[in-house]
Structure formats: structure tokens, C-alpha cells
Amino acid sequence: MNKGIANSHLETEKAIKGSVLPILERLHTEIKNKSKELSKGAGKGSKEVDKARNVTQKQIELLGQHTGTASSSGGKVDASNDPYVLQRGVNHRLHKQVLEENNNRHDLIEVQNSFSSFETHIIHAFQEALQTFLQAVGGQHERQKSMYSDIVSKAQSIPPDFEFKGFVQRNNQLLVDPSAPKRDMSSISFPNQNHASTQPLIAGTLERKSRAMIKGYSTFYYAVTPSKFLHEFKEDDDVRHDPVPELSLYLPDCTIGAVNGEKFNIKGKDASKGKVGSALATSHELAFKAHTAADAEKWFSVIKQAAGGSATFTDSVSSPISPASSQGQSQEKGVAPVQTQGLPQNQGVGSAGPMSAGSQSQQSYNTPASGGGVQSAGAGSTPTSGVEGKPGQY
């Protein structure tokens, strides 16, 4: 009997090693591979999100630095550091950050769903191993058979999603809610988002005549900023491309021609290449054409005031790391309205500052692009500003 019991145990041992253990070993290998997949997949996406957030934060801090500089120095900043341009850079980087966050969110949801099915597979494999184990020990004593049958019965009663539901309940605060809405640019705010120096005095599309005569006029997006720059962009889009100006004119250093119907001219140097590039750049006369004569008058009025006036800002500058910025709120204040009354429509504004209204020794020249005249001061004479009142008063 003892020998028979011993042989029975030896046969059971062989059956378990040949049928039950391979199932559990395969399951153990699958669990290890799943753990590696999680650390290499979802972990990499989280690093990309952190990297995108750091880039956005640096751009926001740069915006806060130069909006403060624009407020304290009367708006005199480099073209590349114009708060209007920097804010559009923030929008561009923030859009990339939102894409990375949404992609990472999608990856995490897929990982969660895959773990749900994987937990079901684990339960099924465990049930299969126990079923095979029952067959191996079937020849054992009835008491042992009853004991193992009870074990299998308990295991079979485990729902396939039992472990995953428990995992979700224990780690609910760490998992991504699939029903939560995605992030959207319209619900995001950042420090100095609505600062007065970031809001254009006027913006829209104009046509500019190409320097090559055969090309004619091309349409671009333009903006006159409180920092007294006229920026040219290919299009009004902060999402697909980084909004870097194709051309920047510092209006106080430019000569502004009079309006002739829908056309007007501006003569000056491109300041978009920085201080060194601006010093080496040559002065060019650019011919612009608005959609209507009324639009041309609006643009001319704002450009003329920006060329002859001084920038003032009424908004306070917010720190990128101040408590107020964490609430996602910023006050919106407008720039002082542009004076358009009492200004003659047939005079140009020079870049030399206030000019005498009684000067008689002036020379004028016409450009085929605009059809109108751009007036500049002659040699040995004081140019005329075209603005009524005493010199220096606008």
C-alpha cells in the first residue's frame, strides 16, 4: 500500500511537471513581457509630455520678461522679442504640448484596455492549469480529490474581470478617466496672455507689391503692435507653423507715404533679423494696397500714430509663476484708441520726429506701385509731419 501510494504520488508528480507547470511558466513569461511593454511604452510618452511642457513654460517666461521690458522702456524692444510675436510662439508651443498630452492620454487608455483583456487571459490560464492539475490527481484518494475539486470550484467562481476591477478601485486616482474630455486651446490661459503689449493696434490682410515688377501684388497678414512694429506674416496661423515675421518695420524709423485711394507706401529697413541684421540692411520702399479706400485710411491712421507717438501700456505685467497665473485668469484692457480726427489725408509722416508745418523746401517722388506720392524732406530742410499742432504734440 505504501509503495502504491508512493507510485501514485510519483505519477502525479510527472503529470504535474508535464502538463500543469508549462502553463504557469508561459503565463509567468507573458506577465514579465507585459511589464516591460508598460515601462517602455507609456513611460516614453510621459517623458515627451514633460519635455513639451518645459518648452512651453520657457516661452511663457520669455513672454513675461519682455512684456515687462515693453512696459518699462516705452515699448522699445527687438522685433524677435516683440510680446505680440512671443505670444504667438506660446500658442504654437502650447498646441504642440496639447498634442503630446492627448497622444499620451490615448496611449495610456490603450494600455489600460489591454491590461483588462490581459487580466482575463491570466484568469483563464490559471483556470486551465488547475483543471489539468485536477486530472493529474484524479487517481488520488477521494478525500484528496474532494479537496482539490473544492479548490478548483473556488477558482472557477472568480469572474474574469475581478482582479482588474479591484486594481481600478485601488488605483483610481492614478488612472486616466476615458470619459473625461480632451484638452482644448480655448480653455487654457497663461500669464500676460491679454497684456496690452500683445494686442495689435490693427491687424489683417494687405497686398504688398513684390520688388520684382513682373510678380505684381501678393497677399500677406500684417499687424501693427504697441511696440511700433509693422510685422508681416505669411498667414494668420499660430498652429501649423511657428509665427516668425517675414518682415518687420520699426515705424518711427520709417517714412510713411500719403494714402492714394487703396494704396500707400512705407520706406524703411527690415528689422526682423535683429540689431546686426538691421544695421546692415538697406532701406526699401514698399507699396501696400488695402481691400478698400476706407481700409487704407484705417491702416494709414494707425501706422502714422505709431510712427510719431510713444507707446503706453495700462496693463500690469504678471509673473509666469505668480499665484494669479495658476488660476488661469487675466484681465483684459484695451490700448488707447487711435486718433484719426483732424489729420490731413495728403501728407506723409517722416521718421525724423516732429517737423515744421511751414517748411517750403520739400521734394516729392512718385512710385508706380502705389500710384501716389511718398514725401520726404529735401536737403537742408525740415520735413513736415502732416500732423496739426505744435511740434511733439499728437
Side-chain angles (χ1 to χ4, degrees):
M1 178 181 288
N2 292 336
K3 186 177 180 179
I5 294 176
N7 291 336
S8 175
H9 282 287
L10 288 174
E11 291 175 359
T12 302
E13 179 185 3
K14 292 180 181 178
I16 291 174
K17 289 182 177 180
S19 343
V20 179
L21 287 181
I23 296 175
L24 299 178
E25 289 173 352
R26 287 196 304 270
L27 183 60
H28 181 255
T29 302
E30 291 173 357
I31 293 174
K32 290 176 64 177
N33 293 336
K34 199 69 176 178
S35 177
K36 293 180 180 178
E37 177 185 348
L38 175 62
S39 61
K40 293 182 179 180
K44 183 179 179 181
S46 299
K47 292 180 180 178
E48 292 296 326
V49 170
D50 292 338
K51 182 179 178 181
R53 287 175 177 172
N54 290 334
V55 172
T56 303
Q57 180 62 26
K58 289 181 179 178
Q59 186 70 11
I60 292 175
E61 291 175 357
L62 185 63
L63 173 61
Q65 175 185 350
H66 288 288
T67 51
T69 302
S71 298
S72 62
S73 62
K76 179 63 176 177
V77 294
D78 293 338
S80 60
N81 294 325
D82 190 340
Y84 171 80
V85 178
L86 294 176
Q87 184 204 21
R88 295 185 65 175
V90 171
N91 294 336
H92 174 73
R93 289 158 180 79
L94 195 56
H95 175 74
K96 287 186 176 180
Q97 174 187 330
V98 170
L99 287 179
E100 292 292 344
E101 290 174 346
N102 289 336
N103 290 338
N104 185 50
R105 175 184 181 278
H106 180 265
D107 293 341
L108 290 177
I109 292 176
E110 288 186 348
V111 169
Q112 291 175 195
N113 294 336
S114 67
F115 268 82
S116 176
S117 60
F118 186 68
E119 288 289 350
T120 301
H121 169 69
I122 292 176
I123 297 299
H124 287 162
F126 187 64
Q127 292 172 346
E128 178 184 1
L130 289 179
Q131 185 66 37
T132 306
F133 179 75
L134 174 62
Q135 296 175 359
V137 298
Q140 293 279 341
H141 195 268
E142 288 296 327
R143 183 181 61 83
Q144 292 180 335
K145 181 178 180 180
S146 176
M147 180 185 65
Y148 290 125
S149 296
D150 184 62
I151 293 174
V152 172
S153 177
K154 295 295 183 182
Q156 295 288 1
S157 65
I158 299 175
D161 58 351
F162 174 79
E163 179 60 29
F164 188 74
K165 284 184 176 180
F167 169 77
V168 171
Q169 293 176 356
R170 294 190 302 270
N171 301 276
N172 186 44
Q173 71 281 5
L174 301 177
L175 300 176
V176 178
D177 184 6
S179 62
K182 296 181 179 180
R183 294 196 70 186
D184 186 79
M185 285 282 293
S186 61
S187 62
I188 299 176
S189 61
F190 49 87
N192 301 303
Q193 181 177 12
N194 296 310
H195 188 272
S197 63
T198 67
Q199 308 303 316
L201 303 179
I202 187 172
T205 56
L206 292 173
E207 295 183 40
R208 177 171 66 82
K209 190 170 186 180
S210 174
R211 297 171 188 174
M213 298 299 293
I214 59 175
K215 291 186 177 181
Y217 284 89
S218 299
T219 301
F220 298 95
Y221 185 83
Y222 293 89
V224 178
T225 71
S227 301
K228 297 184 259 188
F229 281 102
L230 172 63
H231 294 293
E232 175 187 282
F233 301 90
K234 288 185 177 180
E235 56 188 358
D236 183 22
D237 186 0
D238 295 346
V239 176
R240 293 182 298 173
H241 308 287
D242 193 356
V244 178
E246 300 290 326
L247 173 70
S248 296
L249 298 177
Y250 186 60
L251 295 175
D253 294 341
C254 297
T255 302
I256 315 300
V259 177
N260 184 4
E262 302 172 355
K263 303 177 181 180
F264 60 94
N265 289 12
I266 299 177
K267 185 175 183 180
K269 295 182 179 181
D270 183 9
S272 63
K273 304 301 186 295
K275 293 183 179 179
V276 177
S278 299
L280 299 178
T282 58
S283 180
H284 295 281
E285 182 176 350
L286 305 176
F288 296 93
K289 182 169 69 173
H291 300 292
T292 63
D295 288 344
E297 289 290 345
K298 293 179 182 178
W299 279 91
F300 176 76
S301 177
V302 174
I303 291 173
K304 183 165 62 173
Q305 183 176 6
S310 60
T312 58
F313 304 99
T314 58
D315 282 0
S316 59
V317 180
S318 301
S319 171
I321 58 175
S322 66
S325 64
S326 63
Q327 300 176 359
Q329 299 178 351
S330 61
Q331 298 181 350
E332 295 186 3
K333 298 182 180 179
V335 182
V338 177
Q339 177 184 355
T340 59
Q341 300 298 327
L343 302 180
Q345 299 181 2
N346 59 351
Q347 286 290 344
V349 179
S351 62
M355 295 170 283
S356 170
S359 175
Q360 300 297 329
S361 57
Q362 295 183 349
Q363 298 178 353
S364 62
Y365 56 92
N366 297 327
T367 59
S370 64
V374 178
Q375 297 185 353
S376 63
S381 65
T382 305
T384 302
S385 65
V387 181
E388 295 180 357
K390 296 180 180 181
Q393 296 183 355
Y394 299 94

